[in-house]
Amino acid sequence: MSAPNCASSSGIDVLYGSHHGWLQSWLRHKLGNAFDAADLAQDTFVRLLAKSEPIDVREPRAYLATIANGLVANHWRRKALEQAYLEALAAQPTAFAPSPEERLLVLETLERIARLLDGLAPTVREAFLLSQLDGLSYPQIAERLGLSVNVVQKAMTRALMHCYQALYTPAP
């Protein structure tokens, strides 16, 4: 199906009508869960609706699968973050357990941080986390990662610039 302007409402209608069932089935197979598959199938089409520019789709299933794969990766990352947070919570005394609202805020914040750090090279991300979470000095980070202090300084500069740009550069 070639649609010169799939970002239009009628183009999305056709794409949705022709491929929603397939996409949901594909996601159910990938996730092993019909409820998550239904949510991510809907999120895929919401992403299409949010696009402002025309979309020329020559291979609609490949196009939908590409969008859905990104959503699946986000889904699994969020599940891993949530699991790590719940394990850390379980290790805390009950008196320190946050309310459900606080837990949700923390999980949302962790998700935003994870998305932000995904754009960094692994060494840069690791140096940044060792500095910011573990409180290690640059020489300690250099020793742990087997790098020079100069390389750690440059990595931290890249990480901080990346964070600054992500926070203060307007979205397109």
Side-chain angles (χ1 to χ4, degrees):
M1 172 185 97
S2 181
N5 186 2
C6 271
S8 72
S9 178
S10 63
I12 298 289
D13 290 349
V14 170
L15 197 60
Y16 185 90
S18 300
H19 301 287
H20 178 264
W22 168 83
L23 180 63
Q24 192 166 342
S25 174
W26 182 81
L27 284 165
R28 187 175 39 253
H29 175 74
K30 197 164 188 70
L31 297 168
N33 178 326
F35 297 109
D36 289 337
D39 285 345
L40 293 184
Q42 288 304 110
D43 289 348
T44 300
F45 285 97
V46 168
R47 287 257 173 114
L48 287 175
L49 287 169
K51 289 189 177 289
S52 58
E53 72 277 354
I55 304 165
D56 184 18
V57 180
R58 287 179 175 61
E59 297 293 332
R61 289 187 176 183
Y63 184 70
L64 292 170
T66 299
I67 295 170
N69 263 330
L71 293 171
V72 168
N74 291 343
H75 170 79
W76 289 124
R77 181 180 56 228
R78 182 171 175 83
K79 290 282 188 194
L81 280 171
E82 187 174 344
Q83 184 61 38
Y85 177 64
L86 291 174
E87 288 171 7
L89 263 181
Q92 296 292 320
T94 307
F96 294 109
S99 70
E101 293 84 11
E102 291 171 320
R103 289 173 65 176
L104 180 60
L105 286 172
V106 168
L107 285 172
E108 287 174 354
T109 301
L110 287 171
E111 175 67 22
R112 277 186 266 144
I113 292 168
R115 276 196 311 267
L116 175 69
L117 296 180
D118 271 352
L120 295 173
T123 303
V124 174
R125 181 175 47 248
E126 190 169 358
F128 180 77
L129 291 173
L130 288 170
S131 169
Q132 299 302 305
L133 297 181
D134 295 343
L136 297 183
S137 67
Y138 290 6
Q140 290 170 319
I141 295 168
E143 183 179 327
R144 181 163 305 173
L145 298 180
L147 304 170
S148 70
V149 174
N150 188 33
V151 170
V152 171
Q153 289 171 333
K154 288 178 182 177
M156 288 300 296
T157 300
R158 280 193 297 274
L160 292 171
M161 286 299 298
H162 178 83
C163 291
Y164 180 85
Q165 288 173 339
L167 291 172
Y168 297 110
T169 303

